[in-house]
Structures are given as structure tokens and as C-alpha cells.
Amino acid sequence: MTYKTKGTCSTQIDLEVTDGIVRNVKFTNGCNGNLQGISKLVEGMKAEDAIAKLRGIKCGFKPTSCPDQLSYAIEQAMNS
């Protein structure tokens, strides 16, 4: 599934949620090292747990962040 981010340096998140587990997270643009780290950390995690950990994280003065946007991408993937 592809999710178009809003309000972040990354522009897109590609991921899969299979049997409630987060798989194959790939960010387009953004802070490459940090986003690779986030992707590895959520790999194999229960989707609900990942959402709970990531939702609401802000980047500086922005109302969102790449991890926050990932939580919305995971939620969308769960519901599709």
C-alpha cells in the first residue's frame, strides 16, 4: 500500500500489513538514516502497537512527523 504523507519531508510511505503485522516499510525522501531506523524498528511489530507508539510524535514546531505519518499509513493499510 502507498500512503502520501502530509506536512513532512518524506513524501510517501510504502508498506504492508499482513495478518496485523507491519512489513516492508519504505519511505520516499526525508532523513534517510532516521527513516531506515524507524522502518527496521516497526518491522514485524503488531500494527496496533506501532500505531500506539508513533501516533502524536511531532517534529519541531510541525504538528506531525514522519513517525506520526507512519501511524496513519499503518492504520490505513489495516483498513484496506
Side-chain angles (χ1 to χ4, degrees):
M1 189 218 65
T2 298
Y3 179 83
K4 299 290 185 183
T5 60
K6 299 160 192 73
T8 60
C9 298
S10 65
T11 55
Q12 175 177 307
I13 305 169
D14 294 292
L15 75 149
E16 298 171 17
V17 175
T18 307
D19 298 325
I21 304 297
V22 180
R23 303 265 184 231
N24 301 317
V25 178
K26 304 268 189 279
F27 284 83
T28 301
N29 299 316
C31 303
N32 190 36
N34 290 334
L35 297 177
Q36 284 183 58
I38 292 166
S39 298
K40 295 280 185 190
L41 288 171
V42 299
E43 181 76 23
M45 187 180 281
K46 288 183 181 179
E48 294 90 356
D49 293 344
I51 291 168
K53 288 179 183 286
L54 301 172
R55 184 68 49 96
I57 294 174
K58 296 179 180 170
C59 185
F61 295 106
K62 295 179 183 179
T64 190
S65 66
C66 292
D68 184 53
Q69 288 294 295
L70 177 55
S71 77
Y72 289 102
I74 293 168
E75 185 174 67
Q76 184 174 311
M78 287 174 56
N79 296 323
S80 60

